[in-house]
Amino acid sequence: MSIPSWHIELWSRLQARRQRDALPHALLLCGPQGLGKRDFLRRFVRGLLCQRPDNGDACGTCRSCLLFAAGTHPDYVALSYGLRKDGVQRSEIVVDQIRELSARLATASQFGGWQIASIDPADAMNVAAANALLKTLEEPASQTMLILVADAPWRMPATIRSRCQRIDFQLPQQDESLAWLQEAGVRDPQAALAAAGGNPGLARIWSEEGSLAQRQEVRKDLAALASGRGDAMAMGKRWLEDVPEQRLWFAAQAVADEMRARATAQSTPLASTLDGEDLMAWYHAANRTREALRGPLRGDLLLLELLGRWR
């Protein structure tokens, strides 16, 4: 696949800053999941560490590029979810990880150039970790760069966001997205793009994973509940076992379609007995539940409450 067209302007602006020797000490790559933020990050870091870059892109053959490809470059560290003492992966980034990262950034570059660290997902830092990072952002060492990646930057403290140069990845125009999906070989790109809410990256992923069939399953489930044929508890358990956040996305999308159909006097496939105000309330509740699944509350109870309200 070629570089996504919606990366071109973002890349050009960043490289223009590099040409002026005006790169910031902290970048925040943010925007919806699926738009290639992590590919952009890898491309940028490779080019920044490369000894013979061409318009910001790495040569791929110098010692620095070979080390980066092997994952052993001494001037780059990628921070993500760590492991607890019992070997289980954490669900958040904790303060000890940030302290170790800050100590690493305080050392000199072994190649005499940039010392780079990335945090992904940066919106998974807990409060203590974010507070520890703030000191590093306020007092950056020379020739260091911190790159944060976040699908949901609003979960991060404003004090962190304000100290980073933001690069916002936004949904491209429909024709641009369809052309990219066609190049990627996605079958029925129009339907895939609609299912993903206009997000071409998610449309491609869901098409490849067969998730669009799940979209139809969710609609059938809601229709069954509305007609009194479904079991909310069994349905909630099934949803929880198979990408529940994605199912809730499809559920909210189905309800939005239901509201639009009612507004234009079309047939309503979900056949819900909820009135317009309750439909809107359920739509917002589905999105809140999707967010709440990230937290400590029991997912089965969250889904049971939501589906019970639909029935």
Side-chain angles (χ1 to χ4, degrees), residues 215 218-227 249-283 310:
R215 180 178 184 239
V218 166
R219 291 173 181 246
K220 289 179 181 178
D221 284 344
L222 292 178
L225 270 184
S227 65
W249 166 279
F250 289 142
Q253 190 181 66
V255 172
D257 289 345
E258 183 91 349
M259 289 188 287
R260 280 192 290 269
R262 288 189 186 185
T264 55
Q266 299 176 15
S267 61
T268 54
L270 300 183
S272 172
T273 58
L274 298 177
D275 63 24
E277 186 174 331
D278 286 339
L279 271 180
M280 179 62 76
W282 199 92
Y283 169 85
W310 177 262

Side-chain angles (χ1 to χ4, degrees), residues 10-69:
L10 300 176
W11 181 261
S12 297
R13 278 189 285 166
L14 195 54
Q15 293 309 316
R17 293 196 65 161
R18 183 179 181 180
Q19 297 270 338
R20 301 195 309 270
D21 196 23
L23 285 174
H25 285 285
L27 287 171
L28 171 58
L29 310 186
C30 56
Q33 175 190 359
L35 295 184
K37 297 187 295 296
R38 288 150 186 96
D39 291 338
F40 189 97
L41 164 70
R42 184 174 178 83
R43 180 188 175 196
F44 177 64
V45 173
R46 285 182 68 225
L48 203 56
L49 294 174
C50 177
Q51 295 166 321
R52 296 189 297 270
D54 179 13
N55 193 30
D57 278 310
C59 70
T61 58
C62 69
R63 182 166 176 249
S64 181
C65 285
L66 295 176
L67 286 170
F68 185 87

Side-chain angles (χ1 to χ4, degrees), residues 45-274:
V45 173
R46 285 182 68 225
L48 203 56
L49 294 174
C50 177
Q51 295 166 321
R52 296 189 297 270
D54 179 13
N55 193 30
D57 278 310
C59 70
T61 58
C62 69
R63 182 166 176 249
S64 181
C65 285
L66 295 176
L67 286 170
F68 185 87
T72 57
H73 200 294
D75 292 335
Y76 175 60
V77 58
L79 180 64
S80 190
Y81 296 114
L83 298 177
R84 301 188 321 213
K85 292 181 180 179
D86 59 5
V88 176
Q89 188 179 65
R90 296 182 183 276
S91 59
E92 60 183 8
I93 293 173
V94 299
V95 64
D96 288 345
Q97 292 177 274
I98 298 300
R99 287 172 178 160
E100 290 176 12
L101 182 67
S102 298
R104 171 77 176 268
L105 287 175
T107 63
S109 163
Q110 292 194 32
F111 273 64
W114 286 94
Q115 180 91 301
I116 308 171
S118 63
I119 302 177
D120 178 20
D123 47 352
M125 288 187 292
N126 63 22
V127 174
N131 288 337
L133 182 66
L134 190 58
K135 184 176 181 180
T136 300
L137 289 172
E138 289 174 338
E139 302 172 3
S142 176
Q143 282 291 97
T144 62
M145 180 174 293
L146 188 61
I147 307 176
L148 311 184
V149 183
D151 295 338
W154 57 87
R155 295 192 185 111
M156 300 164 55
T159 49
I160 297 289
R161 300 196 307 268
S162 66
R163 286 166 173 78
C164 300
Q165 177 71 46
R166 286 179 64 129
I167 297 182
D168 284 286
F169 290 73
Q170 299 178 350
L171 296 181
Q173 296 295 319
Q174 185 181 45
D175 56 350
E176 192 177 357
S177 297
L178 290 173
W180 185 80
L181 289 171
Q182 287 167 351
E183 183 187 347
V186 172
R187 296 195 320 182
D188 198 353
Q190 191 94 37
L193 191 63
N199 185 320
L202 285 184
R204 180 188 179 191
I205 293 168
W206 289 351
S207 177
E208 291 174 347
E209 293 178 348
S211 299
L212 299 185
Q214 188 188 76
R215 180 178 184 239
Q216 293 305 116
E217 290 175 15
V218 166
R219 291 173 181 246
K220 289 179 181 178
D221 284 344
L222 292 178
L225 270 184
S227 65
R229 293 180 287 108
D231 181 331
M233 183 174 293
M235 194 176 296
K237 181 180 179 181
R238 180 159 46 82
W239 283 22
L240 190 63
E241 292 172 349
D242 186 14
V243 201
E245 296 88 352
Q246 190 168 292
R247 288 182 180 268
L248 287 169
W249 166 279
F250 289 142
Q253 190 181 66
V255 172
D257 289 345
E258 183 91 349
M259 289 188 287
R260 280 192 290 269
R262 288 189 186 185
T264 55
Q266 299 176 15
S267 61
T268 54
L270 300 183
S272 172
T273 58
L274 298 177

